[in-house]
Each structure stands twice: as C-alpha cells, then as structure tokens.
Amino acid sequence: MEFTVELNRVTKKFGDVVAADNVSLQIGRGEFFSLLGPSGCGKTTTLRLIAGFEEPTEGEIFINNENVRDKRPYERDVNTVFQSYALFPHLTVAGNIAFGLERKKTPRHEMGRLIEEALDLVRLKGMGDRYPRQLSGGQQQRVALARALVLKPEVLLLDEPLGALDLKLRKEMQLELKSLQEKVGITFIYVTHDQEEALTMSDRIAVMERGRLEQVGTPEEIYEFPKTRFVADFIGVSNFFSGQVIRAEGETLLVRTDGNLDVTLPLDHGFTEGQRVQFSIRPEKFSVGPQGKGRDGENELVGEIANRIYLGGSIHYVIALSAEEKVTVFLKNERTAGQQPSFSVGERVTVSWHRDDSVILGD
Amino acid sequence: MERIGLRIRLLKFFNRHPHTKAFGILLPCMFWIGVFFLLPLVFMATYSFLERALYGGVQLIFTWENYTRFVDPLYLKILLRSFRISFLTTVILLIIGYPMAYRIAMADKRWRNILLFLVVLPFWTSDLIRTYAWMLILRDTGLLNFLLQYLHVIKKPLTLLYTEGAILLGLAYVYLPFMVLPLYASIEKLDRSLLEAAEDLGATPFWRFLKVTVPLTKSGILAGSLLVFIPSVGAFIVPDLLGGAKAMMIGNLVQLQFGPSRNWPFGSAASFILMTIVLLAVFTYLRFAGGKEAMEEAR
Ligand SMILES: Nc1ncnc2c1ncn2[C@@H]1O[C@H](COP(=O)(O)OP(=O)(O)OP(=O)(O)O)[C@@H](O)[C@H]1O
Ligand SMILES: [Mg+2]
C-alpha cells in the first residue's frame, strides 16, 4: 500500500512531559484518518510534528515516502486548518485564500478562478470581500478550510476544526467535511476529542492516550473490538468485568468473575488456568427477558432491575447481577399496540448475551 | 460638613443631568490643557506677528516680517536639515528597533522584563549627561579616536564630532526606547498561530515578515515612528552638543531666538512654521502609511 504519511517510532518530549510516545502510524492516500483522545493526550503535538512546527525528539516522519526531517513547514506539501482558524485579520476572505496561491506564483487570472472555486466549494460564494471579523464562527472555519484546500496539498491536517461550533452546525459541518473530502480526494488527518465525530467521519481512527497509540483501526473495529480498557471506556459505553480463568473448554474460556459469576468467553490461547482476565460487553449486546432462550453459546444470568431510564427510542436499564456487579443495558423500545415488553425497577429478569460479544481486554 | 454638602449637591446635579457627567470628568483635564498648552500657544501666535523689543519681549506693532524672513536660504537649509536628520533617525531606529523589539517579544517570559528594563535604563539619567558622554567618545581626542589610533586602524584622528553623523547617532541613541516600546507592545500582542499559519501556507520567513508580521504590527510602527520623528525635529540638546554651529537644527534656531538673540517674535514664528510642517507631515504619513485599516487597528 502507498502511504502519504508515515510516522516511525516518533517521540516528542517537552522537558519531562512526553507528548508523543513512540508513535508509529501509516496513513494511506485519500484516507480520512482521525486522531482521537482526551485533552492533553498529544493529538495537537502529533499534528504539529507532521506539519513541521515541532521537531521529533526521536523517530522519523515521512511524507510521500520522503524523510522530512530537514524540511521547514513551508517546504512540506501539507496544510493545516488550525483549531483557532488563524485567519489573517488584515486580509479579506479572498486575500486569505490567495495567500498561499501567491507563494506558489499562480498567474493572476487563474488565481481569481481558483479563489471563486474554493469559495464555492465551502459554500461561501460572494463573501470574498468580507473581513474575517465580519463572519460567523462556522463561516470562518470554512474560510480556513478553503484557504488550505485551494493549495491542493497531499495532506490536510485539521485540528478540532469544529470544536467551537454549536451542536447543530457541528453536525452539518461534519457531513459537509466528509463529502468534501470524498470529492477532493485529499488525505485528511483529523484531530478530535469527540468520539461520535470520529466514528461517523473516519475511515480509520487512532485512539491516543498520554502520548501513546492505544489502538488503530476502522470505526467498527474500534467499537466492536476495543483492545484496551481505555479504548472500551473512551468510545461508547462498556460494562467491565474482571475475573479468573477456570479452564479452557472447546471454543470457550470458562471464567469466574470477582463477583462470583460463571461466564464463558471466546477462547483465547493466551490464557491459562488461574490467570486474571479483564473483559467488556457493550450495553446493546444484551437481551433481557423473563426467562432465557437457552441458545448455544449464550450466557444467562439472573438479575434485578436497579434503575430504568426511558429515552423514547430506547430504554436504558441498570441491572444488578451480584452484590458488586451491575451492568448497563440498552434495549430498543419495542412497544407496539397491545404489547409492552418493558421492565420495572425491582423486577427479576434473565440477562443473556452471546459469549462472542464479550471482548477480552489487554492492559 | 460644608464640603461634604457641596460634594453631594454636585453628585446630585450630575445624576440629574447625566450628559454633563463626561464634561465634569474632563473639566480638570481641559483646564490643564487650556492653561498650560493653549494659552502659551495663543501668546506665541500673537508674538509671531509683532515686532521685537530691544531686550526681549515685543512691541505692539503688527508685521509679517517674522514669517517672510524665513524664506532666507540659510533658514530653509536649517529646516531641511532638521527634517532630513529626523527622517533618517526614524528610519535607522526602525531598522534597529524592530529586530530588537521582536527578539524581546519572542523571548522567554523571564527574560522579557529584564530586557525591557535594559531598554528603558538610560532614562534614569538625564539625556544631557548622556549626550555629553557621547561628546567624550566622539571628539578628536575622544575614546573612539584613541582606540582606533591605538589599534593602528587610522593615523590621524577622524572628525566625528560636530557632524550630521554625530547628530544622527545621538538622536538614535536618545530616542531608541521610544521606538522599541511601542513596537514591542504591538509585536507582543501578535497571535503566534498567525505566524505559523503563514508558514504553513508556504511563506518563507521573509515573506511572512512582509505580509503578516509588518501589517499586523503597523500600529506599533506608526506609533514608534511618530514618537521618534516629532521630538527629533524639534530636538536641540543633541544637535547643540554634537552638531555645534555647523549642523544647526531648527530647535537650536528657536532656542537661539528666545535666548541670546532675544528675538521672541522670530522664535515664535519659527516654532509655528515647524509645528505646521510637522502636523502636515504627520497627517500625510498617517494617511498614506496607515490607511483606513491602521486607523481602525489603532482604535
Ligand atoms: N510547547 C509545549 N511545551 C510544553 N509542553 C507542551 C507543549 N505543547 C504541548 N505540551 C504538553 O504536551 C501534552 C500534549 O499536548 P497536546 O497539545 O498535544 O494535547 P491535545 O491532545 O492536543 O489536547 P487538547 O485536546 O486539549 O487540545 C500536554 O501535556 C501538554 O501540556
Ligand atoms: Mg489540541
């Protein structure tokens, strides 16, 4: 596969703070790649390393298979949409967009056309003569985008570009950005701390924590098969269990949880008898009923409804399986005329899930 | 009791007539400007149209002569020299001051205050004394000539003192802080992410400086230039001590008229001519160098 950006064991230290810790990444041409993680995990630092605003303490960065160690930011075929937009206040919208084009020695007549096209692309036609301060946040963000896109870089780096927008505008812009990226076919490296945003927009996601990459994968892989407790916790809601392996049996791993529940997990050859194991189950993987269905490979436990939150389209339950272990369960609202399969607090129910819906977590 | 009563009555009055409030606040200020600035100006304007009295002062006889006398090539040369030297001082200080202010603004927080302190340190002694010090350095038997001869760079002492060059040096030295401080203030406010954005969009450091840094620090450049240019046109200590009689500036001319020559009307006329030209120059400068935007920026 052809990579536009490659990070090879990149570490960046600020004094004692390790902002990027041995990060290795390969990002393909035309990919929408997201860096996702909590505040301070090193997302911006990683972008700045690629853009050339920071030098790695260790490791190498390749852009188009070329080591960019000695390249200044203006020599890299990479453009950034800054978290703060960083529009030039003394230039009009058109002037901002022209800034990079002038440096590329674009002929005058062509420049006018390119600027018009760029404005059109971000739906700001006719706003070329305004100054940034005369625009709304969302419009400014789109100018920042147009300013970078007009240069047709190999890679566009976006640092939480939607962070300052309200929810509605944010959702709109997410869709716009995604379709824009598909249209222009540029590699996007997109920083966000919003997991939903990352899931909806990305081809692949890298989850970061304290400078380290926890997991890299498609949105589905990250959600369905989180590798670590951090990923399972950061993305969506998870129910965590820990326990001890009793034995391996056929395709299953028999485990007794710390709350004394016997459950089965998918077989993992890495585990032997007596070893500690941690696993998680997503809330929507459970089914709940008066009795179990007795399906093959199904775990069935009896519990008591401890809490019920009615959300309209879905109902969330907290069900106590043992003294210490409670699970959160999301059920679709299946109420239809004359039928109401809903449970009330205090009711005893059977909670069941398939063993393959449990995900064993590393550290 | 009496005074408090007055204060309360005054406050009540201002509350009842809110539009007079601003006026009330400005009153002391207006008084100050009126007595110490406008009044002398009116006196001077009047004097400049009167005939001189023998031992200073004026006679109440109207005349244009104080102004027409100025058309003499001798005086025009002095005027021209004053503007040339001030202009050059401003340019030199921009060239020296900008990098200085830039480095200070970009320096570590801890260093910044120390460096700024060093810039204003010379203010602690009178510029008269500092200018005398330059005389000791520049004169034929001065420090500089001594050193150059000692190092066998030159055989005969160079004439450094009493030249336009010496005035330029002295003015640049005295007015450096007036250039650096406003420049520092505007560079320090500069949003660093704009500099990064420029670089990100392909701007080399030079281009970035020209297209982003300079336009965004225009208010500092304007302020610094005016703060240097205006006082140096009228300077008289530095040209007096370092320029002598050979390189007289208009400030010296004015001082001469009010002092030894005892020709107050001519001195007043010279001051007015200077003031008019400076005001015109400043407005033209603001209009062309500043433009509409800088005016807005400066707000
Ligand atoms: N110039 C710097 N000097 C010192 N420490 C820095 C510097 N830049 C970043 N750091 C530190 O590096 C770590 C990562 O910072 P970074 O800005 O990359 O986080 P982030 O993931 O972008 O966070 P956020 O979501 O809040 O923007 C933080 O602990 C931060 O304090
Ligand atoms: Mg950040």
Side-chain angles (χ1 to χ4, degrees), chain A residues 300-341:
Chain A
E300 289 183 355
L301 294 170
V302 176
E304 190 182 303
I305 309 270
N307 204 346
R308 172 181 186 270
I309 303 163
Y310 180 80
L311 292 172
S314 64
I315 304 173
H316 295 186
Y317 295 99
V318 177
I319 302 173
L321 298 178
S322 68
E324 303 102 59
E325 284 162 323
K326 291 191 173 80
V327 286
T328 302
V329 176
F330 298 170
L331 294 183
K332 233 170 77 191
N333 184 353
E334 280 169 341
R335 176 178 173 156
T336 51
Q339 221 187 346
Q340 194 182 346

Short mmCIF file of all heavy atoms in Angstrom, two decimals, chain A residues 300-341:
data_model
loop_
_atom_site.label_atom_id
_atom_site.label_comp_id
_atom_site.label_asym_id
_atom_site.label_seq_id
_atom_site.Cartn_x
_atom_site.Cartn_y
_atom_site.Cartn_z
N GLU A 300 -26.30 -16.81 30.50
CA GLU A 300 -27.57 -16.38 31.07
C GLU A 300 -27.41 -16.17 32.57
O GLU A 300 -26.96 -17.04 33.28
CB GLU A 300 -28.66 -17.42 30.79
CG GLU A 300 -29.05 -17.44 29.34
CD GLU A 300 -30.17 -18.42 29.04
OE1 GLU A 300 -30.58 -19.15 29.96
OE2 GLU A 300 -30.61 -18.44 27.88
N LEU A 301 -27.77 -15.00 33.02
CA LEU A 301 -27.65 -14.70 34.44
C LEU A 301 -28.93 -14.04 34.91
O LEU A 301 -29.57 -13.30 34.17
CB LEU A 301 -26.48 -13.75 34.69
CG LEU A 301 -25.08 -14.30 34.38
CD1 LEU A 301 -24.07 -13.18 34.44
CD2 LEU A 301 -24.72 -15.41 35.37
N VAL A 302 -29.27 -14.31 36.15
CA VAL A 302 -30.47 -13.68 36.69
C VAL A 302 -30.06 -12.42 37.46
O VAL A 302 -29.05 -12.41 38.16
CB VAL A 302 -31.19 -14.66 37.63
CG1 VAL A 302 -32.39 -13.98 38.28
CG2 VAL A 302 -31.64 -15.89 36.84
N GLY A 303 -30.84 -11.38 37.26
CA GLY A 303 -30.52 -10.14 37.97
C GLY A 303 -31.78 -9.38 38.30
O GLY A 303 -32.89 -9.79 37.95
N GLU A 304 -31.55 -8.25 38.98
CA GLU A 304 -32.69 -7.45 39.38
C GLU A 304 -32.54 -6.05 38.80
O GLU A 304 -31.46 -5.45 38.87
CB GLU A 304 -32.72 -7.38 40.91
CG GLU A 304 -33.98 -6.78 41.46
CD GLU A 304 -33.92 -6.70 42.99
OE1 GLU A 304 -33.72 -7.74 43.64
OE2 GLU A 304 -34.03 -5.57 43.51
N ILE A 305 -33.64 -5.54 38.23
CA ILE A 305 -33.58 -4.20 37.64
C ILE A 305 -33.36 -3.17 38.75
O ILE A 305 -34.15 -3.07 39.68
CB ILE A 305 -34.89 -3.85 36.91
CG1 ILE A 305 -35.29 -4.95 35.92
CG2 ILE A 305 -34.80 -2.47 36.27
CD1 ILE A 305 -34.76 -4.82 34.54
N ALA A 306 -32.23 -2.43 38.66
CA ALA A 306 -31.92 -1.45 39.70
C ALA A 306 -32.32 -0.04 39.30
O ALA A 306 -32.55 0.82 40.13
CB ALA A 306 -30.43 -1.50 40.03
N ASN A 307 -32.35 0.18 38.00
CA ASN A 307 -32.64 1.53 37.53
C ASN A 307 -33.16 1.44 36.10
O ASN A 307 -32.80 0.54 35.34
CB ASN A 307 -31.37 2.37 37.56
CG ASN A 307 -31.68 3.85 37.66
OD1 ASN A 307 -32.82 4.27 37.43
ND2 ASN A 307 -30.68 4.64 37.97
N ARG A 308 -34.01 2.41 35.74
CA ARG A 308 -34.59 2.38 34.40
C ARG A 308 -34.67 3.82 33.92
O ARG A 308 -35.15 4.69 34.63
CB ARG A 308 -35.98 1.77 34.47
CG ARG A 308 -36.79 1.85 33.19
CD ARG A 308 -38.14 1.21 33.45
NE ARG A 308 -38.95 1.13 32.24
CZ ARG A 308 -39.78 2.06 31.82
NH1 ARG A 308 -39.91 3.18 32.50
NH2 ARG A 308 -40.48 1.89 30.71
N ILE A 309 -34.10 4.06 32.75
CA ILE A 309 -34.17 5.42 32.18
C ILE A 309 -34.85 5.32 30.83
O ILE A 309 -34.38 4.62 29.92
CB ILE A 309 -32.76 6.03 32.01
CG1 ILE A 309 -32.04 6.06 33.36
CG2 ILE A 309 -32.86 7.44 31.44
CD1 ILE A 309 -30.56 6.26 33.23
N TYR A 310 -35.96 6.01 30.72
CA TYR A 310 -36.75 5.97 29.49
C TYR A 310 -36.27 7.09 28.57
O TYR A 310 -36.28 8.26 28.93
CB TYR A 310 -38.21 6.15 29.84
CG TYR A 310 -39.13 6.14 28.64
CD1 TYR A 310 -39.50 4.92 28.06
CD2 TYR A 310 -39.61 7.32 28.10
CE1 TYR A 310 -40.34 4.90 26.96
CE2 TYR A 310 -40.45 7.31 26.99
CZ TYR A 310 -40.80 6.09 26.43
OH TYR A 310 -41.63 6.07 25.34
N LEU A 311 -35.80 6.72 27.38
CA LEU A 311 -35.26 7.73 26.46
C LEU A 311 -36.07 7.85 25.19
O LEU A 311 -35.60 8.38 24.19
CB LEU A 311 -33.81 7.40 26.11
CG LEU A 311 -32.80 7.52 27.24
CD1 LEU A 311 -31.46 6.99 26.80
CD2 LEU A 311 -32.68 8.97 27.71
N GLY A 312 -37.26 7.32 25.18
CA GLY A 312 -38.07 7.39 23.97
C GLY A 312 -37.75 6.23 23.05
O GLY A 312 -38.31 5.14 23.18
N GLY A 313 -36.78 6.45 22.15
CA GLY A 313 -36.42 5.40 21.19
C GLY A 313 -35.78 4.19 21.84
O GLY A 313 -35.80 3.09 21.29
N SER A 314 -35.18 4.39 22.98
CA SER A 314 -34.56 3.26 23.68
C SER A 314 -34.78 3.41 25.17
O SER A 314 -35.18 4.47 25.66
CB SER A 314 -33.07 3.20 23.36
OG SER A 314 -32.44 4.36 23.86
N ILE A 315 -34.56 2.30 25.88
CA ILE A 315 -34.68 2.32 27.33
C ILE A 315 -33.38 1.78 27.91
O ILE A 315 -32.87 0.75 27.45
CB ILE A 315 -35.87 1.46 27.80
CG1 ILE A 315 -37.16 1.94 27.09
CG2 ILE A 315 -36.03 1.54 29.31
CD1 ILE A 315 -38.35 1.05 27.36
N HIS A 316 -32.81 2.51 28.86
CA HIS A 316 -31.58 2.06 29.50
C HIS A 316 -31.91 1.48 30.87
O HIS A 316 -32.63 2.11 31.64
CB HIS A 316 -30.60 3.22 29.67
CG HIS A 316 -30.11 3.78 28.37
ND1 HIS A 316 -29.14 4.74 28.30
CD2 HIS A 316 -30.44 3.48 27.08
CE1 HIS A 316 -28.90 5.03 27.02
NE2 HIS A 316 -29.69 4.29 26.27
N TYR A 317 -31.35 0.30 31.12
CA TYR A 317 -31.54 -0.32 32.43
C TYR A 317 -30.21 -0.51 33.11
O TYR A 317 -29.19 -0.74 32.44
CB TYR A 317 -32.18 -1.70 32.27
CG TYR A 317 -33.58 -1.69 31.71
CD1 TYR A 317 -33.80 -1.93 30.36
CD2 TYR A 317 -34.67 -1.46 32.54
CE1 TYR A 317 -35.08 -1.93 29.83
CE2 TYR A 317 -35.96 -1.45 32.03
CZ TYR A 317 -36.16 -1.68 30.68
OH TYR A 317 -37.42 -1.68 30.17
N VAL A 318 -30.21 -0.40 34.41
CA VAL A 318 -29.05 -0.88 35.17
C VAL A 318 -29.55 -2.10 35.91
O VAL A 318 -30.55 -2.06 36.62
CB VAL A 318 -28.54 0.18 36.16
CG1 VAL A 318 -27.39 -0.37 36.97
CG2 VAL A 318 -28.12 1.43 35.40
N ILE A 319 -28.87 -3.23 35.68
CA ILE A 319 -29.32 -4.49 36.25
C ILE A 319 -28.24 -5.05 37.17
O ILE A 319 -27.06 -5.15 36.78
CB ILE A 319 -29.64 -5.52 35.14
CG1 ILE A 319 -30.71 -4.92 34.20
CG2 ILE A 319 -30.09 -6.84 35.74
CD1 ILE A 319 -30.98 -5.77 32.98
N ALA A 320 -28.60 -5.35 38.40
CA ALA A 320 -27.65 -5.90 39.36
C ALA A 320 -27.58 -7.41 39.19
O ALA A 320 -28.59 -8.10 39.31
CB ALA A 320 -28.08 -5.53 40.78
N LEU A 321 -26.36 -7.90 38.87
CA LEU A 321 -26.19 -9.34 38.68
C LEU A 321 -25.70 -9.99 39.95
O LEU A 321 -25.98 -11.14 40.23
CB LEU A 321 -25.19 -9.60 37.55
CG LEU A 321 -25.61 -9.08 36.17
CD1 LEU A 321 -24.52 -9.35 35.16
CD2 LEU A 321 -26.92 -9.74 35.73
N SER A 322 -24.91 -9.24 40.70
CA SER A 322 -24.45 -9.71 42.01
C SER A 322 -24.31 -8.47 42.87
O SER A 322 -24.64 -7.38 42.44
CB SER A 322 -23.10 -10.43 41.86
OG SER A 322 -22.10 -9.50 41.50
N ALA A 323 -23.81 -8.68 44.09
CA ALA A 323 -23.71 -7.54 45.01
C ALA A 323 -22.87 -6.42 44.41
O ALA A 323 -23.21 -5.25 44.50
CB ALA A 323 -23.13 -8.01 46.34
N GLU A 324 -21.74 -6.79 43.76
CA GLU A 324 -20.84 -5.74 43.26
C GLU A 324 -21.02 -5.48 41.77
O GLU A 324 -20.60 -4.46 41.27
CB GLU A 324 -19.36 -6.13 43.48
CG GLU A 324 -18.99 -6.42 44.90
CD GLU A 324 -18.91 -7.92 45.15
OE1 GLU A 324 -18.12 -8.58 44.47
OE2 GLU A 324 -19.66 -8.42 45.99
N GLU A 325 -21.57 -6.43 41.05
CA GLU A 325 -21.56 -6.29 39.60
C GLU A 325 -22.92 -5.89 39.04
O GLU A 325 -23.91 -6.60 39.18
CB GLU A 325 -21.06 -7.59 38.96
CG GLU A 325 -19.57 -7.70 39.12
CD GLU A 325 -19.05 -9.11 38.91
OE1 GLU A 325 -19.72 -10.08 39.31
OE2 GLU A 325 -17.97 -9.24 38.34
N LYS A 326 -22.90 -4.72 38.43
CA LYS A 326 -24.09 -4.20 37.78
C LYS A 326 -23.76 -4.03 36.31
O LYS A 326 -22.63 -3.71 35.96
CB LYS A 326 -24.46 -2.83 38.35
CG LYS A 326 -24.97 -2.85 39.78
CD LYS A 326 -25.55 -1.49 40.14
CE LYS A 326 -26.21 -1.48 41.48
NZ LYS A 326 -25.26 -1.35 42.60
N VAL A 327 -24.74 -4.23 35.44
CA VAL A 327 -24.49 -3.96 34.03
C VAL A 327 -25.49 -2.91 33.53
O VAL A 327 -26.61 -2.83 34.00
CB VAL A 327 -24.63 -5.23 33.14
CG1 VAL A 327 -23.44 -6.13 33.33
CG2 VAL A 327 -25.94 -5.95 33.39
N THR A 328 -25.01 -2.14 32.58
CA THR A 328 -25.88 -1.20 31.90
C THR A 328 -26.33 -1.86 30.62
O THR A 328 -25.53 -2.42 29.87
CB THR A 328 -25.12 0.10 31.58
OG1 THR A 328 -24.63 0.63 32.81
CG2 THR A 328 -26.01 1.11 30.91
N VAL A 329 -27.63 -1.82 30.39
CA VAL A 329 -28.20 -2.50 29.22
C VAL A 329 -29.03 -1.50 28.43
O VAL A 329 -29.82 -0.76 29.00
CB VAL A 329 -29.09 -3.67 29.68
CG1 VAL A 329 -29.77 -4.34 28.48
CG2 VAL A 329 -28.28 -4.69 30.46
N PHE A 330 -28.78 -1.43 27.12
CA PHE A 330 -29.61 -0.58 26.27
C PHE A 330 -30.57 -1.47 25.49
O PHE A 330 -30.13 -2.37 24.78
CB PHE A 330 -28.77 0.20 25.23
CG PHE A 330 -27.77 1.16 25.83
CD1 PHE A 330 -26.82 1.75 25.01
CD2 PHE A 330 -27.78 1.49 27.18
CE1 PHE A 330 -25.89 2.65 25.53
CE2 PHE A 330 -26.86 2.38 27.71
CZ PHE A 330 -25.91 2.94 26.88
N LEU A 331 -31.86 -1.24 25.61
CA LEU A 331 -32.83 -2.01 24.84
C LEU A 331 -33.60 -1.07 23.93
O LEU A 331 -33.90 0.06 24.30
CB LEU A 331 -33.82 -2.73 25.76
CG LEU A 331 -33.25 -3.83 26.65
CD1 LEU A 331 -34.37 -4.49 27.45
CD2 LEU A 331 -32.51 -4.88 25.81
N LYS A 332 -33.89 -1.55 22.74
CA LYS A 332 -34.72 -0.76 21.85
C LYS A 332 -36.13 -0.71 22.43
O LYS A 332 -36.58 -1.67 23.07
CB LYS A 332 -34.76 -1.43 20.47
CG LYS A 332 -34.40 -0.47 19.35
CD LYS A 332 -34.20 -1.22 18.06
CE LYS A 332 -35.55 -1.59 17.45
NZ LYS A 332 -35.45 -2.51 16.35
N ASN A 333 -36.81 0.39 22.24
CA ASN A 333 -38.20 0.47 22.68
C ASN A 333 -39.05 -0.31 21.70
O ASN A 333 -39.23 0.10 20.56
CB ASN A 333 -38.62 1.93 22.74
CG ASN A 333 -40.03 2.09 23.28
OD1 ASN A 333 -40.74 1.09 23.49
ND2 ASN A 333 -40.43 3.32 23.50
N GLU A 334 -39.54 -1.47 22.14
CA GLU A 334 -40.27 -2.33 21.20
C GLU A 334 -41.75 -2.31 21.45
O GLU A 334 -42.48 -3.21 21.06
CB GLU A 334 -39.71 -3.75 21.27
CG GLU A 334 -38.44 -3.84 20.45
CD GLU A 334 -37.68 -5.12 20.68
OE1 GLU A 334 -37.92 -5.78 21.70
OE2 GLU A 334 -36.85 -5.45 19.83
N ARG A 335 -42.17 -1.27 22.11
CA ARG A 335 -43.59 -1.18 22.41
C ARG A 335 -44.39 -1.00 21.12
O ARG A 335 -44.13 -0.11 20.32
CB ARG A 335 -43.83 0.02 23.32
CG ARG A 335 -45.29 0.24 23.60
CD ARG A 335 -45.43 1.40 24.54
NE ARG A 335 -46.84 1.71 24.68
CZ ARG A 335 -47.35 2.33 25.72
NH1 ARG A 335 -46.54 2.71 26.70
NH2 ARG A 335 -48.62 2.58 25.80
N THR A 336 -45.35 -1.89 20.91
CA THR A 336 -46.29 -1.73 19.80
C THR A 336 -47.69 -1.86 20.38
O THR A 336 -47.83 -2.19 21.56
CB THR A 336 -46.09 -2.80 18.71
OG1 THR A 336 -46.08 -4.07 19.36
CG2 THR A 336 -44.79 -2.59 17.97
N ALA A 337 -48.70 -1.61 19.56
CA ALA A 337 -50.08 -1.65 20.06
C ALA A 337 -50.37 -2.96 20.76
O ALA A 337 -50.13 -4.04 20.24
CB ALA A 337 -51.04 -1.44 18.90
N GLY A 338 -50.82 -2.86 22.00
CA GLY A 338 -51.23 -4.04 22.75
C GLY A 338 -50.09 -4.84 23.34
O GLY A 338 -50.29 -5.89 23.93
N GLN A 339 -48.87 -4.36 23.19
CA GLN A 339 -47.73 -5.14 23.65
C GLN A 339 -46.73 -4.21 24.31
O GLN A 339 -46.42 -3.15 23.76
CB GLN A 339 -47.06 -5.79 22.43
CG GLN A 339 -46.64 -7.20 22.69
CD GLN A 339 -45.84 -7.72 21.51
OE1 GLN A 339 -45.82 -7.13 20.44
NE2 GLN A 339 -45.18 -8.82 21.72
N GLN A 340 -46.23 -4.57 25.48
CA GLN A 340 -45.32 -3.65 26.12
C GLN A 340 -44.23 -4.39 26.86
O GLN A 340 -44.27 -4.51 28.07
CB GLN A 340 -46.10 -2.73 27.08
CG GLN A 340 -45.28 -1.55 27.51
CD GLN A 340 -46.02 -0.69 28.48
OE1 GLN A 340 -47.22 -0.81 28.65
NE2 GLN A 340 -45.29 0.18 29.13
N PRO A 341 -43.21 -4.86 26.11
CA PRO A 341 -42.15 -5.61 26.77
C PRO A 341 -41.18 -4.69 27.48
O PRO A 341 -40.13 -4.38 26.97
CB PRO A 341 -41.48 -6.35 25.62
CG PRO A 341 -41.76 -5.53 24.41
CD PRO A 341 -42.93 -4.66 24.69
#
